[in-house]
């Protein structure tokens, strides 16, 4: 039996060997029509993948926007709480300063 993957020697070729070689060669060769069909299929698959990726990206954008909106709302609430606490501390500082500065007047008033 002849190994068809090796080069054939032209000296002892029989018609049977040539036919086997040609049959083997044609079994591994693709026709232009087959290649064009595969090319069309690949293009269709690429377009489908592109569409899916666009949809995925759009979904991610929407999800990110929703996350950003909820985060913004939470931050506004936290800032309002901090602002309220700051106002209380500020009034406490003002009251402390006023009582320290006016302590003599207050004590004098209470003694009368």
């Amino acid at each position: 039996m002849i190994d068809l993957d090796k080069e054939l020697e032209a000296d002892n070729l029989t018609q049977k060997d040539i036919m086997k070689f040609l049959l083997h060669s044609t079994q591994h060769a693709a026709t232009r029509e087959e290649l064009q069909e595969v090319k069309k299929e690949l293009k269709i698959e690429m377009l489908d993948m592109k569409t899916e990726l666009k949809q995925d990206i759009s979904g991610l954008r929407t999800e990110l926007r929703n996350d950003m909106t909820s985060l913004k709302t939470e931050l506004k609430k936290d800032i309002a709480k901090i602002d309220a606490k700051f106002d209380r501390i500020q009034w406490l500082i003002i009251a402390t300063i006023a009582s320290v500065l006016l302590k003599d007047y207050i004590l004098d008033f209470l003694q009368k």
Side-chain angles (χ1 to χ4, degrees):
M1 182 102 194
I2 297 175
D3 186 10
L4 296 175
D5 291 332
K6 295 182 180 177
E7 271 191 43
L8 297 176
E9 296 178 18
D11 298 339
N12 334 351
L13 282 179
T14 63
Q15 188 174 4
K16 182 180 176 183
D17 293 337
I18 293 173
M19 291 304 289
K20 284 183 183 178
F21 176 74
L22 288 174
L23 180 62
H24 180 73
S25 296
T26 56
Q27 287 176 344
H28 296 289
T31 63
R32 286 184 184 168
E33 292 83 18
E34 291 172 335
L35 291 176
Q36 290 298 329
E37 189 175 321
V38 169
K39 187 177 177 181
K40 287 178 185 177
E41 289 173 5
L42 288 174
K43 282 184 180 180
I44 291 170
E45 287 179 20
M46 286 175 53
L47 288 174
D48 291 344
M49 289 177 66
K50 185 177 179 181
T51 304
E52 287 178 25
L53 286 173
K54 283 184 177 180
Q55 290 173 348
D56 290 346
I57 289 172
S58 176
L60 287 173
R61 282 184 183 162
T62 304
E63 189 176 328
L64 184 60
R65 282 187 187 129
N66 292 340
D67 289 347
M68 293 296 287
T69 303
S70 64
L71 182 62
K72 189 176 179 180
T73 305
E74 289 178 30
L75 285 174
K76 283 183 179 180
K77 288 178 184 177
D78 290 344
I79 289 172
K81 288 178 186 177
I82 291 171
D83 193 34
K85 288 180 183 179
F86 182 72
D87 284 345
R88 287 185 211 143
I89 291 172
Q90 189 176 17
W91 281 110
L92 179 65
I93 291 171
I94 291 171
T96 305
I97 291 173
S99 64
V100 168
L101 293 176
L102 301 174
K103 102 178 154 175
D104 291 334
Y105 295 112
I106 295 171
L107 291 175
D108 199 29
F109 178 73
L110 291 176
Q111 289 177 356
K112 287 185 184 180

